[in-house]
Each structure stands twice: as structure tokens, then as C-alpha cells.
Amino acid sequence: QVQLVESGGGSVQAGGSLRISCAASGFTPSIYCMAWFRQVPGKEREGVAAIDRDGSTRYADSVKGRFTISQDKSENTLYLQMTSLKPEDTAMYYCAADWRRWYLIPSYVYWGQGTQVTVSS
């Protein structure tokens, strides 16, 4: 089992920056791929950024050049640095992990509870 706990969400004005974190615990050596997803009410969960054990990353087109995913393996923590934030980035952001290579596909077995990011214009 793997537990994921997100933190760092909040409210920011458009153009601002925010970094959210995801602390992983449990049987973390089994994890190959981790990712950030986001969801707004009434819409499907959207893959934002993913990173695998080797450090390869994938990004949604909507966030390329603005968001950066990274991981601190020693701390078992995943980060998402968000810059040039837009109102349309407002969503609940979820951390996900799996031993399989889902990248931006929302089929992960482990999910966090989410952290809210709100961007005002």
C-alpha cells in the first residue's frame, strides 16, 4: 500500500506562482510513475504532469512551459511548480502513483485526497 498526501494549495492571482507537494509513504519502492491530475466539478480528471522513476517527464499541452514536475526521492516527495497561473488552472489537484507507466492516463491505483488551487483574475 502507498499513501499520498498533498499540500500547498491555496489562492493566488493570475500571473502568480504556487508550488504544491505530495508526500508518499508506505511501500514506495514499488512506485514507477507519479503524476499530478486536476479536476473541476462536472469535468473529467485531466492529466497535468507525470514523472517516472528515471526522471522522464510528460506534460499536458495546456501547462507546458509554465508547470514543472519534480521529485525528491530521498524525501519521497513529488512537487509541481506552477508559474504564470491562469484562472483556468483553478481546480482540485490530485497526486497519483502506480508501478505501471500510466503517465497522463488517469488509471493510477493510488490517489491522494487533493489540494485546491484557485487562481483569480
Side-chain angles (χ1 to χ4, degrees):
Q1 288 287 336
V2 173
Q3 295 78 42
L4 303 172
V5 178
E6 301 96 335
S7 62
S11 297
V12 63
Q13 289 192 329
S17 300
L18 198 63
R19 188 179 78 161
I20 55 178
S21 304
C22 172
S25 61
F27 194 54
T28 56
S30 66
I31 296 173
Y32 181 83
C33 198
M34 296 189 74
W36 289 100
F37 288 79
R38 65 187 180 187
Q39 190 170 25
V40 296
K43 292 191 175 182
E44 293 186 352
R45 195 163 291 190
E46 173 193 21
V48 175
I51 188 167
D52 66 26
R53 186 186 295 166
D54 300 321
S56 295
T57 57
R58 308 274 175 91
Y59 293 94
D61 288 342
S62 58
V63 306
K64 281 181 182 177
R66 299 189 299 121
F67 290 11
T68 303
I69 189 170
S70 63
Q71 56 187 354
D72 184 334
K73 294 181 180 179
S74 65
E75 297 291 332
N76 290 325
T77 302
L78 182 73
Y79 299 100
L80 185 67
Q81 178 69 50
M82 303 180 286
T83 63
S84 301
L85 282 160
K86 305 175 181 180
E88 50 263 44
D89 293 318
T90 295
M92 184 71 77
Y93 282 71
Y94 297 92
C95 174
D98 204 312
W99 63 88
R100 293 163 290 191
R101 306 181 186 195
W102 292 120
Y103 292 104
L104 298 180
I105 299 172
S107 296
Y108 287 74
V109 64
Y110 300 115
W111 292 88
Q113 293 299 307
T115 186
Q116 178 69 35
V117 172
T118 302
V119 184
S120 59
S121 58

